[in-house]
Amino acid sequence: MTLIEEIQSIYEEAKTTLETSVSDEDLDTKKNLFIGKKGKLTSILKGMAKLSVEEKKTAGKVANETQTKIEEFVQEKRTRIKNEFYEVKLKEEHFDLLRPTRLSENQGSIHPVSQIQAEIEAIFTSMGFSIMDGPEVETDNNNFEALNFTGDHPARDTQDTFYTTDGKLLRTHTSAIQVRALRNLKPPFRIIAPGRVFRYEEVDASHETTFYQVEGMVVGKDISIANLIYTMETLLSEIFKETVKTRLRPGYFPFVEPGFELDIQCLVCKGEGCSVCKHSGWLELLPCGLIHPNVLEFGGLDSKEWTGFAFGLGLDRLVMMRYGIHDIRYLHSGNLRFLKQFKV
Ligand code: DAH
């Protein structure tokens, strides 16, 4: 066997041997058999000194090239070992992030207020409304001033709230989003805006400091009270899946003119009188009205050109009506025995 043939056979042997490596360490040990200090190829390279110049030229070149090829093979095998390692690990330790956990006693579920909010969003989007959002910490202008509670308007006293040290406040109603809609959307538009609101409130069976509302606003040309009543009645029959008794009373809110209170007959006591309806048989559910021209103007619209209606819906109260809950304090109590009843 010539020297070159010998080098070539070392190369073949090296490849076959290296290929059987199962780990990094194994690969290193096997590599050393060929190109380590005492490796087969190394000793050939060492022995070259004895060769003639001509042989050195040819065999030396082949030997050097072979060394490089073996190093490349080692490198490539190292990558393959690593990839195989991760492939196996992934298969063995596979876990599904989206898989539901074992059904446990305390598995969470969607809060009844969120459930009803989703239903209302579906009803209104099917009627061509968009859904809008706004921040819980609001400016005085958005929450009061631009809604026509100007200066120290007495109606501000009906909605006392919490103030931050930088002059902002926790919004008392989702009506603040009306101002954002007027200033940001191009009329005509139809929106609803669900959200959490806050009041500095004496807590009792029907009042909480934190509760949920859905605001509604329609702005267009020649919008009338008839449009308003039709929309409200459609909403209520969709929500309660039965015809509920309603009545319309005049109501005062600075941002609507005329303003109304749309009451529904109490579904908890069917009009008999209970703690939820304060023994009147009726429940204020849907304050509403035609948007006050000042509000349109504050929002940047010409009140001679544009008209609209707005309404506010108390979500907590709606949930209470639907399930016959007598005390609003249950809703945000975090009481699991209460919440588990609404699992869907
Ligand atoms: N923002 C009022 C409140 O929380 C409710 C309300 C009344 C909203 C009349 C409206 C409306 O959009 O037209 O007491």
Side-chain angles (χ1 to χ4, degrees):
M1 207 185 327
T2 66
L3 190 54
I4 291 183
E5 280 167 351
E6 199 181 329
I7 295 171
Q8 269 158 356
S9 88
I10 290 176
Y11 177 59
E12 291 308 321
E13 189 194 341
K15 276 207 300 189
T16 329
T17 314
L18 290 167
E19 187 55 44
T20 62
S21 311
V22 291
S23 66
D24 260 1
E25 300 77 55
D26 190 17
L27 184 65
D28 286 333
T29 318
K30 287 179 174 147
K31 177 182 94 176
N32 287 337
L33 295 178
F34 302 94
I35 52 176
K37 264 189 194 146
K38 292 187 181 135
K40 285 188 180 169
L41 189 65
T42 318
S43 39
I44 287 188
L45 280 161
K46 276 183 188 158
M48 292 236 171
K50 293 185 236 121
L51 301 179
S52 69
V53 178
E54 200 47 43
E55 276 176 318
K56 266 188 203 160
K57 249 190 184 171
T58 48
K61 189 166 171 257
V62 176
N64 279 328
E65 280 170 3
T66 306
Q67 177 158 3
T68 314
K69 283 203 288 191
I70 293 177
E71 274 161 5
E72 281 169 4
F73 190 87
V74 168
Q75 206 46 44
E76 187 244 336
K77 178 69 186 174
R78 205 181 293 285
T79 314
R80 276 193 283 134
I81 290 176
K82 199 166 90 192
N83 289 346
E84 276 162 26
F85 170 80
Y86 283 122
E87 250 169 52
V88 170
K89 225 177 163 52
L90 268 175
K91 261 190 205 130
E92 279 173 357
E93 298 179 6
H94 171 78
F95 64 91
D96 183 353
L97 274 176
L98 299 177
R99 199 171 130 183
T101 51
R102 212 154 44 88
L103 280 182
S104 88
E105 266 264 288
N106 292 329
Q107 188 191 26
S109 58
I110 298 172
H111 193 280
V113 170
S114 305
Q115 288 178 31
I116 222 161
Q117 178 182 324
E119 284 174 39
I120 290 171
E121 288 178 1
I123 295 168
F124 277 104
T125 44
S126 78
M127 295 198 281
F129 282 68
S130 325
I131 299 169
M132 234 182 119
D133 200 5
E136 293 176 349
V137 179
E138 260 295 7
T139 60
D140 183 272
N141 188 281
N142 285 344
N143 196 82
F144 290 126
E145 202 70 25
L147 286 169
N148 212 22
F149 293 77
T150 41
D152 50 7
H153 195 293
R156 283 181 178 239
D157 293 347
T158 61
Q159 300 195 5
D160 200 2
T161 185
F162 304 90
Y163 291 84
T164 60
T165 46
D166 62 353
K168 290 192 172 174
L169 47 81
L170 294 189
R171 66 178 176 200
T172 58
H173 50 184
T174 44
S175 303
I177 304 170
Q178 284 194 26
V179 180
R180 293 177 175 270
L182 286 170
R183 290 182 178 157
N184 293 301
L185 303 180
K186 201 171 160 294
F189 63 79
R190 283 175 261 187
I191 58 129
I192 57 160
R196 182 158 58 165
V197 300
F198 311 85
R199 300 271 171 100
Y200 183 63
E201 191 82 71
E202 186 94 53
V203 175
D204 63 27
S206 49
H207 295 89
E208 259 286 15
T209 56
T210 304
F211 52 101
Y212 290 80
Q213 294 184 331
V214 174
E215 195 73 14
M217 188 182 217
V218 172
V219 173
K221 308 249 161 138
D222 304 320
I223 304 279
S224 70
I225 294 173
N227 298 139
L228 166 64
I229 294 173
Y230 174 78
T231 312
M232 297 303 93
E233 285 185 348
T234 309
L235 166 69
L236 292 172
S237 61
E238 289 279 341
I239 292 177
F240 291 110
K241 309 215 166 32
E242 61 177 292
T243 344
V244 284
K245 276 209 176 130
T246 60
R247 69 175 190 190
L248 203 61
R249 291 181 292 121
Y252 177 72
F253 301 94
F255 45 96
V256 280
E257 180 57 37
F260 305 104
E261 286 286 359
L262 198 135
D263 298 343
I264 65 162
Q265 193 178 62
C266 183
L267 297 176
V268 174
C269 62
K270 305 279 174 221
E272 295 283 308
C274 67
S275 65
V276 174
C277 60
K278 296 208 190 93
H279 307 281
S280 70
W282 292 91
L283 229 112
E284 282 181 22
L285 194 68
L286 253 171
C288 51
L290 296 186
I291 303 169
H292 196 293
N294 287 356
V295 174
L296 292 166
E297 298 283 344
F298 284 137
L301 298 188
D302 180 353
S303 61
K304 288 192 198 68
E305 187 184 356
W306 298 102
T307 51
F309 69 76
F311 57 91
L313 193 60
L315 287 183
D316 306 73
R317 207 164 264 188
L318 219 49
V319 169
M320 291 168 77
M321 283 293 102
R322 173 183 270 184
Y323 298 108
I325 299 165
H326 290 80
D327 196 321
I328 192 171
R329 287 167 290 195
Y330 280 119
L331 286 175
H332 307 295
S333 63
N335 183 337
L336 289 181
R337 284 201 302 156
F338 171 76
L339 291 171
K340 276 181 194 165
Q341 302 172 80
F342 308 99
K343 268 194 181 178
V344 278

